[in-house]
Amino acid sequence: MREVVGDRTALLCLTGVLVSGFGTSAMWLTAGIWVRSATGSDTLAALTVFTMWAPLLAGPALGALADRLPRGPLLTWVNLGMAGLLCALPLIGPEHRVGALFAVLFVYGVSGVVLDAAETAVVARAVDVRLLGDFNGLRTTVNEGMKLLAPLTGAGLFARYGAVPVVLLDALTFALAALVFARLRVREPAGAPRVSRRGGTAAGTRLLLGSPVLRPLVCAGAATMLVAGLNGAMIYAVVDALGRSPAYAGLLYAAQGAGSVTVGLLAGPLLRRLPARVFAAAGTALFALAVAARGLPFEAVALAASAAIGLGLPCVLVAAMTAVQREAPDAALGRTAAAAHTLTMVPNALGLALGAGLVAVADVRLLLPSAALAGLVTAVWLGAGRKGRPTGAPSGGRSPADA
């Protein structure tokens, strides 16, 4: 951890993620509350999350921007653009504000995909290959830590002062992130080939599916996130089975967040000692067993299972992204990172939708073990494959000297 924090580029990137992540997490919850308060519609409130997720479907195309344009300025100007857009939102009249909010949320999702791809590429080029797992683990810790604190801050501000302070807070965090990223000294690749106008955006997906190292990790990540979506859709049924009020779900989410914060600190050292597939398979197995345990009608078990879900679920995602940073060529790294994010995150949304339908017609005590079985099968398949090398070991794609 000291080495990562001691690296100027890694520290600036983590700081940018910390600052902007706080505003994003606050806005994520507040947008739904705002729309629900203004319209009285639960459907429109739920669509706020979908609107922010939708641009993920165009991830490979949006990620190509991080390969076409200088990545350092891209990080700065996209953050500044979002700050300006959010500052303009309170100036719109009340009769048009909900429609404008949805438009802003869509742009929000687009910017998130672009920023994630550019940051992933910058870190892969600047940080020693041995420390990529540590960086991605710390990034997980930072993100999950913000998810524990920021939504409460946003909800509290909204309840007392309305939506405008939350929007301005988010705009401020984007502006601060832009200042942080402006201090990056990014070495752009000299003479890197430009993305071709025909089929160039698909290069990242082709690289993922054609690589014997990346394909199993990304496929396992997609399957695991599908199970995670199913599990997430059943959270209120679990709470109901425990005989608690819906607010108890917040405690389960807090336990899960604490687990994710913890595994983020452990991911780097473990990835230097274990092959990526073994690390990811172990985390997926722990996640699956915890999902099954959630079906037991005991509060202590439910809390422990939530913490174990937080410990296990991020492992395959951290392993996959670290492998992408190591294996993908720099000229296509933005597209490849965005494609990996799309292929692993979209199944989560599908799982949420599928789980919402299943929980209405089947007992959660049957659904959770079934979902857990799918997770265990994924873990066994991933762990039984060719083990390869620890993620911290040098590879043929990029050496520490290239970083």
Side-chain angles (χ1 to χ4, degrees):
M1 190 189 304
R2 285 194 299 270
E3 288 188 71
V4 174
V5 175
D7 184 286
R8 184 177 185 275
T9 299
L11 180 59
L12 287 174
C13 285
L14 283 172
T15 303
V17 169
L18 174 67
V19 172
S20 63
F22 186 89
T24 297
S25 296
M27 187 66 182
W28 188 283
L29 176 63
T30 302
I33 300 174
W34 188 4
V35 170
R36 177 63 176 79
S37 300
T39 66
S41 171
D42 292 329
T43 300
L44 287 177
L47 281 176
T48 59
V49 177
F50 174 79
T51 302
M52 296 176 77
W53 270 79
L56 192 60
L57 296 171
L62 294 172
L65 292 173
D67 296 330
R68 282 195 178 102
L69 303 173
R71 291 160 181 164
L74 184 64
L75 287 167
T76 301
W77 287 108
V78 171
N79 275 288
L80 277 179
M82 284 304 304
L85 189 62
L86 286 164
C87 284
L89 185 58
L91 302 178
I92 298 173
E95 67 276 12
H96 302 297
R97 195 167 289 168
V98 171
L101 175 61
F102 275 99
V104 169
L105 292 177
F106 183 80
V107 178
Y108 208 118
V110 170
S111 70
V113 175
V114 174
L115 290 172
D116 186 73
E119 183 208 316
T120 299
V122 166
V123 169
R125 186 167 177 80
V127 176
D128 191 317
V129 69
R130 296 180 304 105
L131 302 178
L132 288 175
D134 298 83
F135 176 88
N136 290 322
L138 286 174
R139 193 180 192 278
T140 298
T141 295
V142 167
N143 275 329
E144 295 300 325
M146 289 305 97
K147 290 177 184 177
L148 291 175
L149 299 175
L152 295 176
T153 302
L157 283 174
F158 182 88
R160 187 167 181 82
Y161 302 109
V164 172
V166 184
V167 173
L168 295 179
L169 171 65
D170 196 14
L172 176 62
T173 61
F174 271 115
L176 291 175
L179 291 176
V180 171
F181 286 123
R183 298 185 61 199
L184 282 174
R185 293 193 293 264
V186 180
R187 293 182 291 116
E188 303 292 345
R194 293 176 64 84
V195 179
S196 63
R197 292 187 181 276
R198 294 186 61 187
T201 57
T205 305
R206 288 197 300 269
L207 193 152
L208 287 175
L209 300 181
S211 167
V213 175
L214 300 179
R215 183 176 61 249
L217 288 170
V218 172
C219 289
T224 303
M225 292 308 292
L226 177 65
V227 176
L230 293 169
N231 171 68
M234 300 174 199
I235 181 68
Y236 291 106
V238 169
V239 171
D240 185 61
L242 293 173
R244 301 299 296 260
S245 70
Y248 189 76
L251 189 57
L252 298 183
Y253 278 126
Q256 182 173 329
S260 295
V261 168
T262 302
V263 79
L265 300 174
L266 300 174
L270 289 174
L271 278 170
R272 280 195 297 275
R273 291 163 174 79
L274 297 172
R277 290 180 67 154
V278 173
F279 172 72
T284 300
L286 175 61
F287 161 71
L289 292 172
V291 168
R294 261 190 170 175
L296 299 175
F298 306 106
E299 288 189 23
V301 173
L303 287 169
S306 295
I309 286 171
L311 280 169
L313 181 57
C315 294
V316 67
L317 302 178
V318 172
M321 190 52 64
T322 303
V324 165
Q325 289 173 314
R326 294 180 59 250
E327 300 290 333
D330 187 83
L333 187 48
R335 286 164 287 170
T336 307
H341 196 58
T342 295
L343 292 174
T344 53
M345 290 296 113
V346 168
N348 183 251
L350 296 177
L352 283 168
L354 179 60
L358 289 174
V359 78
V361 298
D363 193 321
V364 70
R365 290 171 295 181
L366 296 176
L367 293 174
L368 285 172
S370 300
L373 179 61
L376 286 174
V377 169
T378 300
V380 171
W381 169 78
L382 186 61
R386 184 168 61 88
K387 291 185 173 57
R389 58 183 178 273
T391 311
S395 71
R398 290 175 60 254
S399 68
D402 298 326

